[in-house]
Amino acid sequence: MGGRFMYVAGGIPLVVKVDGRDVVVGAVGCSTGTPDQDVTVAQAGVEAFERAWEEMSGGTVKAKL
């Protein structure tokens, strides 16, 4: 992503479709436990965002580990 993002365990970018293009609109991250625990917590945040986004917009979110 142009060198502006750093991927670490527990960090998951939120990517949505805008005018047919993938756009990063934010991220969910956690850094308080082990890497596996951080990923689990961040994934729960992503799932909550996905539900809210789909309810509001009717669109989908592509969150990637």
Side-chain angles (χ1 to χ4, degrees), residues 16 46-61:
V16 299
V46 167
E47 290 168 7
F49 178 81
E50 288 173 337
R51 287 189 302 273
W53 180 265
E54 290 170 6
E55 190 173 301
M56 286 185 342
S57 71
T60 59
V61 177

Side-chain angles (χ1 to χ4, degrees), residues 27-54:
V28 176
C30 180
S31 180
T32 60
T34 67
D36 287 342
Q37 290 168 331
D38 292 346
V39 168
T40 299
V41 170
Q43 186 61 44
V46 167
E47 290 168 7
F49 178 81
E50 288 173 337
R51 287 189 302 273
W53 180 265
E54 290 170 6

Side-chain angles (χ1 to χ4, degrees), residues 3-28:
R4 297 180 301 191
F5 294 94
M6 183 169 76
Y7 291 92
V8 295
I12 304 172
L14 300 170
V15 182
V16 299
K17 286 278 188 196
V18 176
D19 295 328
R21 294 180 28 217
D22 289 340
V23 177
V24 176
V25 294
V28 176

